[in-house]
Amino acid sequence: MFIYLTSEKNNVIFDFLKDQSGQTVKKFIGDFNFQEFVSDHLMSYDSCRYLAVDLECIDDYPDGFFDAVDSILQYFNFHLRLIVVSFDLDGDILAGLYKRGVFNIITGTDKDTVEKRILKVFSQDGMSPEDHNLGDAFSSLKSSNIQIATPVQDDLIPTIQTVIKNESVFEEKIIAVVGSQRRTGTSTTAFQLANYIASKGKSVAYMEGNNHQHLKEIVKTYKMEERDQVWQMNGVDYLFSDSEFFKHYHYIIADLGELNEDKVEFIKNSHFVILCGDAKCYEKNHLIQAITFLKSSGISAYHLFLHFVAPNELLLLKSQYEDAYFFETTPQLFGWTVNSKLFKRLLSK
């Protein structure tokens, strides 16, 4: 998700990205106390990967503004890139941003310059001291008494964002996989879907978003290659729930395990939601309860994957769940080919 706090005057500067990526900016237009927004509201957008702020709409700077910036760098920096927009930048504000290591700053006097800087901000590495003609000199501007996290340019938590690489734009999509109860095939679905996506040449990560700790044993059993706490096999990166992301991906598959209240906000901020269930007569109540829970939480856009369906029950279940996906069971954890048509149908939505 890309959030932009903006004045009416500057609210359209990112709109050209939509033509390249299809990404729509979530705009908040008006006057804002930035410190209040960060402390009271930013946590609600935990899938936000970019936060752009137009200084013309901020009424609490410099002091409140920089307190908010420090909070972002301390608590959100591992997954959030801060972008500052100003076409009349005060020197003290600029120095304050530099010493905090904030270089993703949009300025300019003409449309082409502004758009080039926006593209740079959304590139893999973002803007650097060199882009501001600072070089190594910026190190002397760093404050010695501000305890904040060192900015990471290529970081990531499972969230939604637009990324620009090599002049092309792609939208990073989050797929949340959740079960109506335990042992309904969430991990199998997530693993197979990740491998299917990798087979199509897309970058993809699987993230273990539950406390089952299956991934620990899977990594050992399949002797996956480890690099910077990211385990790799067959083009898929595998990460634990506490791993830090240092790459951008076309897709992130979040294996959330059993559905509960704690996962609702993450689910709401995902591009695709997969509900895995078992439609056996003695399991059906769990499935109905999960569907009811999603709807009562305001989540109506989800894809129902039914597992372990007996052939003689298939016709009946198709009449009851017309839009359901019927998952083919396979003993191969990464064996996506048997469900390739199902995954193709899902991703075409």
Side-chain angles (χ1 to χ4, degrees):
M1 183 182 296
F2 172 24
I3 292 178
Y4 182 30
L5 272 62
T6 177
S7 61
E8 184 67 43
K9 176 182 175 182
N10 298 322
N11 84 86
V12 300
I13 68 168
F14 294 103
D15 288 1
F16 77 100
L17 290 175
K18 186 175 181 180
D19 294 334
Q20 299 185 43
S21 67
Q23 176 74 12
T24 301
V25 182
K26 184 175 182 63
K27 299 177 185 178
F28 295 86
I29 302 174
D31 296 317
F32 301 92
N33 182 297
F34 194 43
Q35 191 171 14
E36 287 183 3
F37 179 85
V38 171
S39 62
D40 297 342
H41 303 293
L42 189 57
M43 190 68 73
S44 300
Y45 299 97
D46 60 354
S47 66
C48 175
R49 296 290 303 283
Y50 294 108
L51 172 62
V53 54
D54 171 14
L55 290 185
E56 291 200 23
C57 76
I58 300 303
D59 60 16
D60 63 332
Y61 81 96
D63 294 336
F65 172 76
F66 279 123
D67 286 343
V69 170
D70 292 341
S71 296
I72 290 171
L73 297 178
Q74 179 70 53
Y75 299 107
F76 298 94
N77 187 63
F78 68 107
H79 76 276
L80 178 67
R81 182 177 294 182
L82 176 64
I83 303 164
V84 176
V85 176
S86 178
F87 300 106
D88 184 21
L89 197 58
D90 179 270
D92 291 337
I93 295 292
L94 192 62
L97 292 171
Y98 285 166
K99 75 179 181 180
R100 289 166 168 80
V102 176
F103 300 104
N104 291 302
I105 304 170
I106 306 299
T107 59
T109 57
D110 61 89
K111 182 173 180 288
D112 288 342
T113 299
V114 170
E115 291 189 356
K116 285 180 181 178
R117 289 179 177 172
I118 289 174
L119 290 174
K120 180 61 177 174
V121 160
F122 283 94
S123 68
Q124 181 174 347
D125 296 322
M127 296 186 77
S128 66
E130 289 74 17
D131 294 308
H132 298 274
N133 298 316
L134 294 177
D136 294 333
F138 89 94
S139 59
S140 64
L141 294 170
K142 286 186 175 179
S143 172
S144 60
N145 57 10
I146 298 178
Q147 301 300 316
I148 57 178
T150 301
V152 177
Q153 300 292 354
D154 253 7
D155 48 10
L156 163 64
I157 198 171
T159 48
I160 305 166
Q161 93 185 76
T162 299
V163 182
I164 300 172
K165 288 185 177 181
N166 301 325
E167 304 293 329
S168 64
V169 182
F170 67 82
E171 181 183 9
E172 190 169 76
K173 294 183 178 179
I174 310 304
I175 302 177
V177 184
V178 65
S180 59
Q181 59 181 323
R182 289 204 63 173
R183 301 190 179 280
T184 51
T186 60
S187 295
T188 301
T189 299
F191 276 107
Q192 289 195 21
L193 178 56
N195 280 267
Y196 169 82
I197 292 172
S199 75
K200 301 303 178 183
K202 301 293 186 181
S203 57
V204 59
Y206 165 95
M207 189 204 74
E208 187 176 53
N210 56 69
N211 58 5
H212 300 162
Q213 298 187 334
H214 294 159
L215 185 57
K216 183 184 296 185
E217 294 303 319
I218 291 170
V219 164
K220 292 179 183 178
T221 301
Y222 289 90
K223 299 179 181 178
M224 293 184 183
E225 180 183 357
E226 187 268 338
R227 184 178 302 170
D228 295 327
Q229 292 190 324
V230 176
W231 283 259
Q232 301 172 324
M233 192 175 80
N234 297 334
V236 178
D237 286 359
Y238 294 91
L239 296 100
F240 294 93
S241 57
D242 59 352
S243 297
E244 290 190 21
F245 287 63
F246 295 98
K247 287 173 57 178
H248 300 301
Y249 300 90
H250 288 96
Y251 292 90
I252 297 173
I253 317 298
D255 179 3
L256 301 181
E258 185 177 0
L259 177 64
N260 59 45
E261 184 69 38
D262 294 338
K263 295 160 186 174
V264 168
E265 193 61 35
F266 186 95
I267 292 171
K268 285 183 176 179
N269 289 310
S270 299
H271 279 85
F272 294 88
V273 179
I274 297 174
L275 173 63
C276 296
D278 187 337
K280 294 184 179 69
C281 58
Y282 53 87
E283 302 283 7
K284 217 168 187 178
N285 282 341
H286 293 283
L287 179 59
I288 293 172
Q289 289 170 7
I291 291 173
T292 302
F293 179 79
L294 286 177
K295 290 182 177 179
S296 66
S297 301
I299 302 168
S300 58
Y302 63 89
H303 303 274
L304 178 60
F305 277 38
L306 294 180
H307 289 248
F308 318 115
V309 175
N312 62 323
E313 297 176 341
L314 188 58
L315 287 177
L316 175 61
L317 291 173
K318 281 185 175 181
S319 67
Q320 294 175 334
Y321 302 99
E322 295 181 0
D323 296 324
Y325 299 74
F326 293 87
F327 197 90
E328 293 285 344
T329 303
T330 172
Q332 298 179 4
L333 182 60
F334 309 102
W336 55 266
T337 55
V338 68
N339 289 300
S340 59
K341 291 182 179 179
L342 180 153
F343 294 140
K344 182 178 180 180
R345 174 187 162 197
L346 169 74
L347 297 178
S348 67
K349 299 295 185 180

